[in-house]
Amino acid sequence: MNNTRWLGLGIGVLVPAMAMATTLETVQEHGSVRCGVNAAQPGFSSLDEDNQYRGLDTDVCRAIAAAALGDAEKVDFVPLNSIERFTALQAGEVDVLSRTTTWTSSRDTTLGMNFTGVSYYDGQAFMVASDLGVQSAKELDGAAVCTQSGTTSELNLSDYFRINDMSYEAIVFDAPEQSIAGFEAGRCDVLSSDASQLYAQRMQLADPSMAMVLPEIISKEPLGPVVRQGDDQWFNIVKWSLFAMLNAEELGVTQANVDEQLSSENPDVMRLLGQDSDFGESMGIHADWAYQIVKQVGNYADIYERNVGANSDFQIVRGLNALWKDGGIQYAPPIR
């Protein structure tokens, strides 16, 4: 059966209903990408001293804007908590969600959303008071554990303690700033969340040395951008914006040298930067879309190191987030 909807205009006159605008058309009409982000997770998404959103997740948003609009600053950042983030995307209040969101089967198949890749490989961990004398999560039997509602952390906690035949008391908060405040005030012995968030929350303590992150990682938490299902063009733009940054790092194309690389004779670099073939045309964007990403935002190493890595306060080693050729698992399909 033909699924075209028809509208009647007068007697016996039928015309096709107007097609809904694509996400790219909506973004172009607005002149900006509406990106759902975390309100306060330093390193990934938080306001700096100039009241500007900074972090790895917000740089992913900027990369999408650079590709779609040619201007990385054409982003409207929409702060969302963990409970409202999916509803906001489903309702069209944001065009993309880049908010430390774990890719799971239920989220990918039941919420009308598509994950577009992994921007950060994470895992759930535990933070305890340094003077508690605990060196392993296996010593947490009977502990009171602060965690955040509406996240995968609640289920992971239940699974971990049950598997290890331990008991715990869950102290659940609605927002990360509430959970770290509860931990600092002594309402719980342990704070459990993604390791990336724990490192950020530890830096927010009046005395960061009073807490330590235990070595155990108890879950897989692949974090990445999310879009609504049903718009393959926008899905491709968001997906390949991330892949372009990974490919650029692998090819040695950085924010500092990208203009010099325009004269490269390496075929992969030429294709990446739009010097050989137009790989933006099929997505409805300009041929230099990847050049604009690297020039204005950087490659993956650029955004990692300045936000959470060696050039940041967090000093988080690349680990799994290193490229595949450097011992990690970050890997992007080629542009060709």
Side-chain angles (χ1 to χ4, degrees):
M1 179 178 178
N2 192 320
N3 289 323
T4 303
R5 294 179 60 213
W6 295 85
L7 296 177
L9 297 179
I11 299 175
V13 180
L14 293 176
V15 297
M18 293 295 291
M20 293 183 64
T22 65
T23 306
L24 178 60
E25 289 171 338
T26 300
V27 164
Q28 291 170 334
E29 181 181 346
H30 288 164
S32 65
V33 175
R34 296 170 300 173
C35 194
V37 296
N38 199 314
Q41 186 170 345
F44 288 84
S45 176
S46 63
L47 290 171
D48 65 11
E49 61 274 10
D50 297 320
N51 209 38
Q52 299 295 314
Y53 275 101
R54 300 295 174 196
L56 191 146
D57 282 346
T58 57
D59 276 348
V60 170
C61 299
R62 291 185 175 91
I64 297 164
L69 298 171
D71 188 341
E73 295 308 313
K74 290 186 175 179
V75 183
D76 290 332
F77 293 105
V78 182
L80 300 168
N81 65 36
S82 58
I83 297 174
E84 66 193 5
R85 54 183 164 172
F86 298 124
T87 303
L89 181 61
Q90 292 165 334
E93 296 170 8
V94 294
D95 305 306
V96 59
L97 191 64
S98 183
R99 192 199 172 283
T100 51
T101 299
T102 300
W103 188 347
T104 70
S105 61
S106 59
R107 290 173 175 177
D108 202 30
T109 61
T110 66
L111 299 180
M113 301 173 187
N114 282 328
F115 284 79
T116 63
V118 179
S119 55
Y120 189 89
Y121 287 96
D122 208 350
Q124 188 168 335
F126 299 94
M127 184 165 70
V128 300
S130 301
D131 61 7
L132 196 62
V134 171
Q135 300 298 318
S136 168
K138 297 291 180 63
E139 302 172 47
L140 297 177
D141 189 19
V145 183
C146 286
T147 191
Q148 190 179 342
S149 63
T151 67
T152 55
S153 298
E154 291 181 280
L155 177 61
N156 293 337
L157 272 178
S158 175
D159 289 348
Y160 181 79
F161 277 84
R162 183 174 67 251
I163 290 170
N164 287 283
D165 195 27
M166 298 190 301
S167 64
Y168 74 104
E169 177 188 1
I171 311 296
V172 181
F173 296 93
D174 290 333
E177 55 269 25
Q178 294 173 339
S179 61
I180 187 62
F183 173 77
E184 192 168 25
R187 291 191 60 188
C188 51
D189 308 303
V190 185
L191 179 59
S192 187
S193 185
D194 292 350
S196 60
Q197 186 167 40
L198 293 180
Y199 283 115
Q201 290 177 314
R202 182 175 176 271
M203 295 297 294
Q204 296 170 10
L205 295 171
D207 177 13
S209 66
M210 64 83 65
M212 59 180 288
V213 179
L214 297 177
E216 288 92 346
I217 298 294
I218 68 168
S219 70
K220 295 187 295 184
E221 305 295 334
L223 312 178
V226 194
V227 297
R228 287 181 295 278
Q229 290 180 358
D231 189 338
D232 285 348
Q233 179 191 44
W234 186 245
F235 173 70
N236 287 335
I237 291 171
V238 174
K239 173 173 57 178
W240 282 97
S241 294
L242 174 60
F243 289 164
M245 290 191 286
L246 289 166
N247 277 313
E249 180 185 358
E250 184 172 340
L251 293 167
V253 181
T254 70
Q255 190 170 28
N257 71 17
V258 65
D259 285 328
E260 298 171 22
Q261 295 282 357
L262 287 171
S263 58
S264 171
E265 296 183 0
N266 182 326
D268 288 326
V269 173
M270 294 171 67
R271 285 189 285 265
L272 172 74
L273 300 181
Q275 302 299 296
D276 181 11
S277 301
D278 184 352
F279 292 96
E281 183 178 10
S282 60
M283 295 186 284
I285 54 181
H286 293 297
D288 69 345
W289 61 279
Y291 165 82
Q292 296 298 341
I293 290 174
V294 181
K295 175 67 175 178
Q296 298 183 47
V297 186
N299 67 21
Y300 184 78
D302 289 327
I303 71 168
Y304 186 98
E305 298 301 347
R306 71 167 169 256
N307 289 304
V308 297
N311 300 324
S312 74
D313 292 334
F314 305 103
Q315 305 281 307
I316 302 175
V317 297
R318 288 285 293 267
L320 293 178
N321 290 291
L323 294 181
W324 63 279
K325 65 185 184 67
D326 298 325
I329 60 175
Q330 280 289 11
Y331 185 105
I335 295 176
R336 63 170 182 256

mmCIF file of all heavy atoms in Angstrom, residues 63 66-68 240-241 243-245 247-248 253 258 269 271-274 279-280 283 285-299 335:
data_model
loop_
_atom_site.group_PDB
_atom_site.id
_atom_site.type_symbol
_atom_site.label_atom_id
_atom_site.label_comp_id
_atom_site.label_asym_id
_atom_site.label_seq_id
_atom_site.Cartn_x
_atom_site.Cartn_y
_atom_site.Cartn_z
ATOM 1 N N ALA A 63 31.686 20.357 16.063
ATOM 2 C CA ALA A 63 32.099 19.682 14.835
ATOM 3 C C ALA A 63 30.910 19.470 13.901
ATOM 4 O O ALA A 63 31.024 19.656 12.680
ATOM 5 C CB ALA A 63 32.749 18.334 15.175
ATOM 6 N N ALA A 66 30.124 22.756 12.311
ATOM 7 C CA ALA A 66 31.121 23.084 11.296
ATOM 8 C C ALA A 66 30.825 22.338 10.000
ATOM 9 O O ALA A 66 30.967 22.895 8.902
ATOM 10 C CB ALA A 66 32.515 22.757 11.802
ATOM 11 N N ALA A 67 30.426 21.069 10.113
ATOM 12 C CA ALA A 67 30.117 20.274 8.924
ATOM 13 C C ALA A 67 28.824 20.726 8.260
ATOM 14 O O ALA A 67 28.761 20.886 7.033
ATOM 15 C CB ALA A 67 30.009 18.798 9.308
ATOM 16 N N ALA A 68 27.790 20.938 9.066
ATOM 17 C CA ALA A 68 26.465 21.240 8.510
ATOM 18 C C ALA A 68 26.300 22.683 8.072
ATOM 19 O O ALA A 68 25.600 22.969 7.094
ATOM 20 C CB ALA A 68 25.390 20.887 9.544
ATOM 21 N N TRP A 240 29.470 10.993 10.557
ATOM 22 C CA TRP A 240 30.720 11.248 9.848
ATOM 23 C C TRP A 240 31.456 12.468 10.381
ATOM 24 O O TRP A 240 32.672 12.602 10.168
ATOM 25 C CB TRP A 240 30.477 11.332 8.347
ATOM 26 C CG TRP A 240 30.333 9.945 7.797
ATOM 27 C CD1 TRP A 240 29.174 9.271 7.552
ATOM 28 C CD2 TRP A 240 31.392 9.027 7.512
ATOM 29 N NE1 TRP A 240 29.446 7.990 7.123
ATOM 30 C CE2 TRP A 240 30.796 7.821 7.086
ATOM 31 C CE3 TRP A 240 32.778 9.116 7.580
ATOM 32 C CZ2 TRP A 240 31.554 6.713 6.729
ATOM 33 C CZ3 TRP A 240 33.529 8.006 7.209
ATOM 34 C CH2 TRP A 240 32.925 6.826 6.790
ATOM 35 N N SER A 241 30.786 13.318 11.135
ATOM 36 C CA SER A 241 31.497 14.410 11.815
ATOM 37 C C SER A 241 32.449 13.837 12.857
ATOM 38 O O SER A 241 33.596 14.279 12.989
ATOM 39 C CB SER A 241 30.507 15.371 12.475
ATOM 40 O OG SER A 241 29.734 16.057 11.505
ATOM 41 N N PHE A 243 33.558 10.624 12.823
ATOM 42 C CA PHE A 243 34.533 9.812 12.094
ATOM 43 C C PHE A 243 35.619 10.679 11.452
ATOM 44 O O PHE A 243 36.777 10.254 11.344
ATOM 45 C CB PHE A 243 33.829 8.986 11.018
ATOM 46 C CG PHE A 243 32.980 7.856 11.559
ATOM 47 C CD1 PHE A 243 32.041 7.236 10.750
ATOM 48 C CD2 PHE A 243 33.113 7.404 12.865
ATOM 49 C CE1 PHE A 243 31.262 6.190 11.217
ATOM 50 C CE2 PHE A 243 32.339 6.360 13.352
ATOM 51 C CZ PHE A 243 31.409 5.748 12.517
ATOM 52 N N ALA A 244 35.245 11.872 10.999
ATOM 53 C CA ALA A 244 36.231 12.755 10.369
ATOM 54 C C ALA A 244 37.319 13.138 11.357
ATOM 55 O O ALA A 244 38.508 13.197 11.003
ATOM 56 C CB ALA A 244 35.548 14.012 9.823
ATOM 57 N N MET A 245 36.955 13.394 12.610
ATOM 58 C CA MET A 245 37.960 13.758 13.616
ATOM 59 C C MET A 245 38.888 12.590 13.911
ATOM 60 O O MET A 245 40.101 12.776 14.104
ATOM 61 C CB MET A 245 37.270 14.246 14.896
ATOM 62 C CG MET A 245 36.594 15.602 14.729
ATOM 63 S SD MET A 245 36.044 16.324 16.303
ATOM 64 C CE MET A 245 34.614 15.304 16.647
ATOM 65 N N ASN A 247 39.572 10.028 11.792
ATOM 66 C CA ASN A 247 40.398 9.831 10.611
ATOM 67 C C ASN A 247 41.489 10.879 10.505
ATOM 68 O O ASN A 247 42.614 10.586 10.102
ATOM 69 C CB ASN A 247 39.527 9.844 9.349
ATOM 70 C CG ASN A 247 38.868 8.503 9.067
ATOM 71 O OD1 ASN A 247 39.517 7.468 9.113
ATOM 72 N ND2 ASN A 247 37.586 8.521 8.788
ATOM 73 N N ALA A 248 41.161 12.114 10.875
ATOM 74 C CA ALA A 248 42.155 13.186 10.822
ATOM 75 C C ALA A 248 43.314 12.889 11.764
ATOM 76 O O ALA A 248 44.487 13.056 11.407
ATOM 77 C CB ALA A 248 41.511 14.525 11.163
ATOM 78 N N VAL A 253 46.505 14.838 10.547
ATOM 79 C CA VAL A 253 45.962 16.152 10.195
ATOM 80 C C VAL A 253 45.403 16.781 11.459
ATOM 81 O O VAL A 253 44.451 16.269 12.055
ATOM 82 C CB VAL A 253 44.859 16.040 9.121
ATOM 83 C CG1 VAL A 253 44.327 17.420 8.767
ATOM 84 C CG2 VAL A 253 45.387 15.326 7.889
ATOM 85 N N VAL A 258 46.355 21.815 9.449
ATOM 86 C CA VAL A 258 45.381 21.439 8.419
ATOM 87 C C VAL A 258 45.530 22.261 7.140
ATOM 88 O O VAL A 258 45.345 21.738 6.032
ATOM 89 C CB VAL A 258 43.936 21.525 8.975
ATOM 90 C CG1 VAL A 258 43.551 22.962 9.318
ATOM 91 C CG2 VAL A 258 42.940 20.922 7.995
ATOM 92 N N VAL A 269 44.344 11.859 2.729
ATOM 93 C CA VAL A 269 44.254 13.232 3.226
ATOM 94 C C VAL A 269 43.491 14.094 2.222
ATOM 95 O O VAL A 269 42.650 14.920 2.605
ATOM 96 C CB VAL A 269 45.660 13.812 3.481
ATOM 97 C CG1 VAL A 269 45.570 15.297 3.837
ATOM 98 C CG2 VAL A 269 46.357 13.046 4.597
ATOM 99 N N ARG A 271 41.169 13.174 0.148
ATOM 100 C CA ARG A 271 39.734 12.867 0.225
ATOM 101 C C ARG A 271 39.126 13.457 1.498
ATOM 102 O O ARG A 271 38.012 14.000 1.462
ATOM 103 C CB ARG A 271 39.525 11.350 0.168
ATOM 104 C CG ARG A 271 39.710 10.759 -1.219
ATOM 105 C CD ARG A 271 39.278 9.304 -1.266
ATOM 106 N NE ARG A 271 40.262 8.432 -0.623
ATOM 107 C CZ ARG A 271 41.222 7.792 -1.285
ATOM 108 N NH1 ARG A 271 41.348 7.945 -2.597
ATOM 109 N NH2 ARG A 271 42.054 7.001 -0.635
ATOM 110 N N LEU A 272 39.840 13.341 2.614
ATOM 111 C CA LEU A 272 39.346 13.885 3.874
ATOM 112 C C LEU A 272 39.076 15.379 3.771
ATOM 113 O O LEU A 272 38.032 15.868 4.222
ATOM 114 C CB LEU A 272 40.359 13.627 4.995
ATOM 115 C CG LEU A 272 40.087 14.301 6.351
ATOM 116 C CD1 LEU A 272 38.941 13.602 7.067
ATOM 117 C CD2 LEU A 272 41.336 14.309 7.220
ATOM 118 N N LEU A 273 39.981 16.107 3.158
ATOM 119 C CA LEU A 273 39.886 17.567 3.127
ATOM 120 C C LEU A 273 39.141 18.107 1.909
ATOM 121 O O LEU A 273 39.113 19.318 1.682
ATOM 122 C CB LEU A 273 41.297 18.168 3.200
ATOM 123 C CG LEU A 273 42.094 17.803 4.460
ATOM 124 C CD1 LEU A 273 43.455 18.461 4.439
ATOM 125 C CD2 LEU A 273 41.329 18.190 5.721
ATOM 126 N N GLY A 274 38.540 17.216 1.129
ATOM 127 C CA GLY A 274 37.723 17.660 0.006
ATOM 128 C C GLY A 274 38.511 18.097 -1.204
ATOM 129 O O GLY A 274 37.967 18.777 -2.081
ATOM 130 N N PHE A 279 32.767 14.257 -0.984
ATOM 131 C CA PHE A 279 32.056 13.310 -0.139
ATOM 132 C C PHE A 279 30.997 13.989 0.735
ATOM 133 O O PHE A 279 30.341 13.337 1.526
ATOM 134 C CB PHE A 279 33.055 12.528 0.719
ATOM 135 C CG PHE A 279 33.926 11.608 -0.087
ATOM 136 C CD1 PHE A 279 35.190 12.008 -0.497
ATOM 137 C CD2 PHE A 279 33.469 10.366 -0.473
ATOM 138 C CE1 PHE A 279 35.987 11.166 -1.255
ATOM 139 C CE2 PHE A 279 34.256 9.506 -1.244
ATOM 140 C CZ PHE A 279 35.522 9.917 -1.637
ATOM 141 N N GLY A 280 30.857 15.293 0.579
ATOM 142 C CA GLY A 280 29.794 16.000 1.286
ATOM 143 C C GLY A 280 28.507 16.055 0.495
ATOM 144 O O GLY A 280 27.419 16.196 1.067
ATOM 145 N N MET A 283 25.565 13.997 1.430
ATOM 146 C CA MET A 283 24.951 14.349 2.710
ATOM 147 C C MET A 283 24.291 15.729 2.662
ATOM 148 O O MET A 283 23.744 16.188 3.667
ATOM 149 C CB MET A 283 26.006 14.312 3.827
ATOM 150 C CG MET A 283 26.583 12.939 4.088
ATOM 151 S SD MET A 283 27.706 12.877 5.535
ATOM 152 C CE MET A 283 29.192 13.661 4.854
ATOM 153 N N ILE A 285 25.913 18.619 2.165
ATOM 154 C CA ILE A 285 26.779 19.631 2.763
ATOM 155 C C ILE A 285 27.962 19.888 1.827
ATOM 156 O O ILE A 285 28.147 19.196 0.826
ATOM 157 C CB ILE A 285 27.269 19.217 4.165
ATOM 158 C CG1 ILE A 285 27.949 17.847 4.136
ATOM 159 C CG2 ILE A 285 26.090 19.192 5.139
ATOM 160 C CD1 ILE A 285 28.440 17.354 5.492
ATOM 161 N N HIS A 286 28.789 20.873 2.150
ATOM 162 C CA HIS A 286 29.869 21.287 1.264
ATOM 163 C C HIS A 286 31.012 20.266 1.235
ATOM 164 O O HIS A 286 31.213 19.490 2.173
ATOM 165 C CB HIS A 286 30.409 22.656 1.679
ATOM 166 C CG HIS A 286 29.427 23.764 1.483
ATOM 167 N ND1 HIS A 286 28.948 24.125 0.238
ATOM 168 C CD2 HIS A 286 28.830 24.599 2.373
ATOM 169 C CE1 HIS A 286 28.108 25.137 0.357
ATOM 170 N NE2 HIS A 286 28.008 25.444 1.651
ATOM 171 N N ALA A 287 31.789 20.322 0.156
ATOM 172 C CA ALA A 287 32.897 19.390 -0.036
ATOM 173 C C ALA A 287 33.960 19.525 1.050
ATOM 174 O O ALA A 287 34.662 18.558 1.363
ATOM 175 C CB ALA A 287 33.520 19.598 -1.414
ATOM 176 N N ASP A 288 34.097 20.717 1.615
ATOM 177 C CA ASP A 288 35.144 20.945 2.623
ATOM 178 C C ASP A 288 34.644 20.740 4.046
ATOM 179 O O ASP A 288 35.235 21.242 4.995
ATOM 180 C CB ASP A 288 35.735 22.344 2.468
ATOM 181 C CG ASP A 288 34.741 23.451 2.846
ATOM 182 O OD1 ASP A 288 33.521 23.155 2.957
ATOM 183 O OD2 ASP A 288 35.182 24.598 3.028
ATOM 184 N N TRP A 289 33.593 19.973 4.219
ATOM 185 C CA TRP A 289 32.979 19.792 5.535
ATOM 186 C C TRP A 289 33.981 19.285 6.574
ATOM 187 O O TRP A 289 34.007 19.775 7.704
ATOM 188 C CB TRP A 289 31.788 18.826 5.440
ATOM 189 C CG TRP A 289 32.153 17.456 4.963
ATOM 190 C CD1 TRP A 289 32.341 17.046 3.675
ATOM 191 C CD2 TRP A 289 32.408 16.304 5.774
ATOM 192 N NE1 TRP A 289 32.692 15.724 3.627
ATOM 193 C CE2 TRP A 289 32.738 15.236 4.895
ATOM 194 C CE3 TRP A 289 32.376 16.052 7.140
ATOM 195 C CZ2 TRP A 289 33.044 13.956 5.344
ATOM 196 C CZ3 TRP A 289 32.676 14.777 7.596
ATOM 197 C CH2 TRP A 289 33.004 13.746 6.707
ATOM 198 N N ALA A 290 34.820 18.310 6.204
ATOM 199 C CA ALA A 290 35.775 17.761 7.173
ATOM 200 C C ALA A 290 36.910 18.746 7.448
ATOM 201 O O ALA A 290 37.408 18.829 8.579
ATOM 202 C CB ALA A 290 36.328 16.427 6.676
ATOM 203 N N TYR A 291 37.312 19.492 6.409
ATOM 204 C CA TYR A 291 38.319 20.539 6.623
ATOM 205 C C TYR A 291 37.822 21.539 7.659
ATOM 206 O O TYR A 291 38.567 21.949 8.557
ATOM 207 C CB TYR A 291 38.627 21.256 5.307
ATOM 208 C CG TYR A 291 39.359 22.561 5.496
ATOM 209 C CD1 TYR A 291 40.741 22.592 5.679
ATOM 210 C CD2 TYR A 291 38.662 23.777 5.524
ATOM 211 C CE1 TYR A 291 41.412 23.793 5.880
ATOM 212 C CE2 TYR A 291 39.323 24.981 5.722
ATOM 213 C CZ TYR A 291 40.698 24.979 5.900
ATOM 214 O OH TYR A 291 41.358 26.169 6.110
ATOM 215 N N GLN A 292 36.562 21.951 7.546
ATOM 216 C CA GLN A 292 35.996 22.925 8.480
ATOM 217 C C GLN A 292 35.992 22.372 9.904
ATOM 218 O O GLN A 292 36.250 23.103 10.869
ATOM 219 C CB GLN A 292 34.580 23.319 8.049
ATOM 220 C CG GLN A 292 34.490 24.034 6.715
ATOM 221 C CD GLN A 292 35.225 25.363 6.709
ATOM 222 O OE1 GLN A 292 35.512 25.945 7.757
ATOM 223 N NE2 GLN A 292 35.543 25.852 5.513
ATOM 224 N N ILE A 293 35.714 21.080 10.053
ATOM 225 C CA ILE A 293 35.729 20.471 11.388
ATOM 226 C C ILE A 293 37.122 20.574 12.000
ATOM 227 O O ILE A 293 37.291 21.037 13.135
ATOM 228 C CB ILE A 293 35.288 18.992 11.315
ATOM 229 C CG1 ILE A 293 33.795 18.885 10.995
ATOM 230 C CG2 ILE A 293 35.582 18.277 12.646
ATOM 231 C CD1 ILE A 293 33.319 17.453 10.766
ATOM 232 N N VAL A 294 38.128 20.127 11.258
ATOM 233 C CA VAL A 294 39.491 20.100 11.797
ATOM 234 C C VAL A 294 40.021 21.511 12.002
ATOM 235 O O VAL A 294 40.660 21.807 13.016
ATOM 236 C CB VAL A 294 40.421 19.288 10.877
ATOM 237 C CG1 VAL A 294 41.829 19.250 11.461
ATOM 238 C CG2 VAL A 294 39.890 17.868 10.695
ATOM 239 N N LYS A 295 39.745 22.406 11.057
ATOM 240 C CA LYS A 295 40.242 23.783 11.152
ATOM 241 C C LYS A 295 39.634 24.505 12.352
ATOM 242 O O LYS A 295 40.330 25.207 13.099
ATOM 243 C CB LYS A 295 39.904 24.537 9.865
ATOM 244 C CG LYS A 295 40.270 26.029 9.873
ATOM 245 C CD LYS A 295 41.760 26.248 9.900
ATOM 246 C CE LYS A 295 42.104 27.720 9.780
ATOM 247 N NZ LYS A 295 43.579 27.951 9.843
ATOM 248 N N GLN A 296 38.341 24.343 12.556
ATOM 249 C CA GLN A 296 37.652 25.121 13.577
ATOM 250 C C GLN A 296 37.584 24.429 14.936
ATOM 251 O O GLN A 296 37.509 25.109 15.968
ATOM 252 C CB GLN A 296 36.226 25.439 13.109
ATOM 253 C CG GLN A 296 36.171 26.290 11.838
ATOM 254 C CD GLN A 296 34.746 26.639 11.449
ATOM 255 O OE1 GLN A 296 33.945 27.067 12.285
ATOM 256 N NE2 GLN A 296 34.407 26.439 10.182
ATOM 257 N N VAL A 297 37.609 23.094 14.948
ATOM 258 C CA VAL A 297 37.425 22.356 16.200
ATOM 259 C C VAL A 297 38.646 21.493 16.530
ATOM 260 O O VAL A 297 39.097 21.457 17.672
ATOM 261 C CB VAL A 297 36.154 21.474 16.148
ATOM 262 C CG1 VAL A 297 35.897 20.818 17.509
ATOM 263 C CG2 VAL A 297 34.942 22.286 15.718
ATOM 264 N N GLY A 298 39.181 20.807 15.540
ATOM 265 C CA GLY A 298 40.340 19.949 15.753
ATOM 266 C C GLY A 298 40.059 18.506 15.404
ATOM 267 O O GLY A 298 38.929 18.131 15.077
ATOM 268 N N ASN A 299 41.112 17.680 15.438
ATOM 269 C CA ASN A 299 40.904 16.250 15.284
ATOM 270 C C ASN A 299 40.556 15.651 16.650
ATOM 271 O O ASN A 299 40.427 16.374 17.640
ATOM 272 C CB ASN A 299 42.114 15.573 14.630
ATOM 273 C CG ASN A 299 43.370 15.596 15.498
ATOM 274 O OD1 ASN A 299 43.310 15.756 16.731
ATOM 275 N ND2 ASN A 299 44.528 15.425 14.873
ATOM 276 N N ILE A 335 37.155 7.432 4.677
ATOM 277 C CA ILE A 335 36.431 8.324 3.762
ATOM 278 C C ILE A 335 36.924 8.017 2.360
ATOM 279 O O ILE A 335 38.039 8.380 1.984
ATOM 280 C CB ILE A 335 36.654 9.803 4.133
ATOM 281 C CG1 ILE A 335 36.057 10.099 5.499
ATOM 282 C CG2 ILE A 335 36.047 10.726 3.072
ATOM 283 C CD1 ILE A 335 36.297 11.507 6.000
#
